[in-house]
Amino acid sequence: MILNKGLYACCNWVKGNLFRACFYMLSALIISIGFSACQSNNEEPNELRPNILLIVVDDAGFSDFSSYGGEISTPNIDQLASNGVQFTRFYTQPMCAPTRASILSGVDNHQNGLGAMPPMHTQNQYMQPGYEGYLNEKVVTLPEVLRDNGYQTYMSGKWHLGCLDSTQYPNGRGFERSFAQMAGSAGHFQDGFATGPIDVPVTFYVEDNRRIEELSENFYTTKDYTDYMIQYIKESDEEKPIFGYLAYTAPHDPLHVTDEYIDKYKGAYDEGFDAIRRARLERMKNMGLVDESVPYNPGTGNFTQWDSLTADEKVIQARRMEVYAAMIACVDDQIGRLVETLEAEKRLENTVFIVMSDNGPNPYDPEFYYLGSVDEFNKQGFDNSLENMGRDNSFISLGGAWAEVTATPFSYYKTTTGEGGIRTPLIISGVGIEANGVKDITVHAADIYPTVLELADAKRPETYRGNPMNPLFGRSAKPLLEGEEDHVRDTEIEPLCFEISGYKTVIQGDWKLMQGKAFKNGGKWVLINLEEDPTEKTDLSEEYPDKVKEMAEHWEEYSVKHGYIPPEGNMYVIEIGAETFYNYGRDYRVK
């Protein structure tokens, strides 16, 4: 309840004068009624509407943060976790752009424009409704709604949601200030090189609506993204709340880190994959993140085993993980800088933080970006010698064996719908959020959108720019965050379905039905009981055919409702070329 100070002062001022008292009381009542009407239209004072900082890291594994059992030091993220809610059953899409589109739209990826992640469309998907390759006009973004409801909206980091022209830049989709990398990945230093030939047309930066031709000499993504967000906060109107989207590209490959961090974890991974995985699992059990019954998981067996490596190969593998860990430590330090800035600006006590990873860890080596051609990759002239790994003219990746370690205790990795590819950290902390500890409650990336809107007391319009909006897929977690509910969505009643690149998933209570080429079962459905088998080792499809049939029917209902188009054939970009592909039928080149 808001105390009407004007009315209180008025009553004291007019004591003893009945006529004047009645006049001023009536006037104050009229003002109060008008003020209440403004409140219902989301124009209440700033102190009742929180600042909201959405922080997304790129390709981090489930157990990387130390608050999730990792050996990587992340004290600032851990502090947020200890003061809020830490989720252990948070699901994303298995690739970044579809996840980020769902976060910013609240709509299923097959309806928000990211039914396939560019440039992975097949010919039958290309330019189809829901598969536009950018946030389409049937969604209204978080920053658009919040900006229209009195928020200042800022973005820095990775966009990857459209770059044909300025209408698709972050500022064209609701951010008042932005500094953005437009591609899915790039070199982290000043040259910002494209990770492969297919990404060349879209590998560039923009500041607001202006394309940047050259980055600063000492540019490094993680630090500079944070610098821009800090600048926006310092320049903001202190009377208005802030929505900030800080979209890091770390620890996505190329694995790059500054000299300050490059040897921070030197020697930490010399014992190899199994030793680190066992240590993480033990910490997770001690922290209550997983049940004591969860078995040690040696991984899928799809990648190199430590004991099969030569001594020199072990050194190289360990160095990969050292650089990766240093990138995450750098992210944590930058989040610490952001917290310090909010405190200095007297905004910290009224801020909500949302920290998450956009999908599981990346298992692919650098030649993946050159369509698997080692020869083409080698022609680029990167210096991947041991002493140069992690520096600006190197291009190294984490690799599959370490990727599965970072996904501990789960199996699989990015691009698949195995738990390791779609189950990631999520922390929500700050004003109005009860410190409820660890929650093993199913939450989906699309749930971020309605949660933020409810925290901001803002409503999504049914039409925007003259277009009717596609239905929300997300559910608000706000009641849970305030300790009023013990769930966000009941998957027993309404199963959770999602898909990308032919990897399909249905989650119904403890049951999971999944399909995809990495699962090595001839493309048939795999049935898992996640409660009994969280590492996904035992396919129960033959034992429970009726359950498979039931859940497959849920998938069919979902696919029809959301406009799923099955991929047919190879990536269409290979046939028509990247420049043509990214123009999406327009008569001009990417600018």
Side-chain angles (χ1 to χ4, degrees), residues 156-183:
S156 64
K158 171 174 169 174
W159 182 237
H160 203 197
L161 297 173
C163 59
L164 275 172
D165 55 41
S166 60
T167 65
Q168 293 181 4
Y169 291 0
N171 284 53
R173 296 313 304 256
F175 288 105
E176 296 169 320
R177 299 295 312 278
S178 66
F179 175 82
Q181 175 189 295
M182 306 306 283

Side-chain angles (χ1 to χ4, degrees), residues 108-413:
D108 181 81
N109 65 297
H110 302 97
Q111 294 184 316
N112 65 30
L114 275 294
M117 190 181 85
M120 302 181 77
H121 297 67
T122 55
Q123 183 173 1
N124 66 309
Q125 295 173 330
Y126 186 61
M127 293 177 59
Q128 296 302 306
Y131 289 75
E132 291 87 349
Y134 49 82
L135 286 170
N136 63 30
E137 294 301 316
K138 293 297 187 72
V139 302
V140 53
T141 67
L142 263 181
E144 286 172 332
V145 178
L146 293 175
R147 178 198 59 195
D148 295 350
N149 282 269
Y151 270 74
Q152 300 166 98
T153 54
Y154 308 133
M155 182 263 174
S156 64
K158 171 174 169 174
W159 182 237
H160 203 197
L161 297 173
C163 59
L164 275 172
D165 55 41
S166 60
T167 65
Q168 293 181 4
Y169 291 0
N171 284 53
R173 296 313 304 256
F175 288 105
E176 296 169 320
R177 299 295 312 278
S178 66
F179 175 82
Q181 175 189 295
M182 306 306 283
S185 61
H188 291 268
F189 289 105
Q190 189 268 344
D191 57 0
F193 63 79
T195 51
I198 290 176
D199 286 330
V200 168
V202 293
T203 303
F204 60 92
Y205 283 86
V206 299
E207 184 173 3
D208 298 329
N209 287 325
R210 177 178 61 87
R211 181 165 173 167
I212 297 173
E213 297 303 326
E214 187 175 1
L215 299 169
S216 62
E217 182 178 356
N218 296 317
F219 181 87
Y220 178 68
T221 53
T222 303
K223 180 182 181 300
D224 281 72
Y225 295 161
T226 311
D227 285 347
Y228 275 96
M229 185 58 67
I230 287 173
Q231 173 191 333
Y232 299 152
I233 291 171
K234 287 183 175 180
E235 294 175 353
S236 67
D237 182 346
E238 63 182 14
E239 297 299 320
K240 298 174 65 178
I242 290 170
F243 171 67
Y245 176 43
L246 184 50
Y248 290 116
T249 46
H252 196 299
D253 57 4
L255 302 185
H256 283 160
V257 75
T258 59
D259 288 347
E260 177 186 357
Y261 290 89
I262 202 160
D263 287 329
K264 182 177 178 65
Y265 285 93
K266 190 173 180 60
Y269 298 99
D270 290 351
E271 294 184 14
F273 314 135
D274 299 315
I276 300 301
R277 185 162 27 220
R278 289 183 187 278
R280 287 193 177 198
L281 180 60
E282 187 64 25
R283 281 192 294 271
M284 296 173 85
K285 290 181 177 181
N286 292 337
M287 297 167 71
L289 295 169
V290 300
D291 191 80
E292 285 288 338
S293 65
V294 174
Y296 170 73
N297 179 10
T300 61
N302 293 341
F303 304 106
T304 302
Q305 301 301 301
W306 190 257
D307 290 343
S308 71
L309 299 174
T310 66
D312 288 344
E313 289 170 338
K314 289 179 179 178
V315 171
I316 291 171
Q317 283 286 349
R319 189 58 173 163
R320 287 185 178 193
M321 187 64 194
E322 289 172 12
V323 178
Y324 174 90
M327 293 177 76
I328 292 177
C330 180
V331 165
D332 186 79
D333 285 347
Q334 298 306 310
I335 291 174
R337 288 182 60 219
L338 185 64
V339 170
E340 290 173 358
T341 299
L342 290 164
E343 185 171 25
E345 297 294 313
K346 296 181 172 54
R347 285 186 177 271
L348 182 60
E349 292 185 358
N350 193 37
T351 297
V352 172
F353 294 88
I354 302 171
V355 181
M356 58 169 287
S357 178
D358 61 359
N359 47 243
N362 181 10
Y364 299 108
D365 289 317
E367 55 266 26
F368 169 81
Y369 302 99
Y370 290 80
L371 302 179
S373 173
V374 176
D375 289 341
E376 287 300 316
F377 174 73
N378 289 338
K379 289 178 183 178
Q380 308 309 309
F382 294 108
D383 180 0
N384 287 341
S385 60
L386 178 64
E387 60 274 10
N388 199 59
M389 291 170 69
R391 301 191 188 279
D392 60 351
N393 60 336
S394 68
F395 187 170
I396 61 170
S397 299
L398 185 61
W402 281 122
E404 288 203 301
V405 171
T406 70
T408 299
F410 306 122
S411 299
Y412 299 102
Y413 32 81

Side-chain angles (χ1 to χ4, degrees), residues 563-576:
Y564 167 61
I565 301 174
E568 297 176 2
N570 296 321
M571 292 166 54
Y572 192 44
V573 66
I574 298 172
E575 181 178 334
I576 64 175

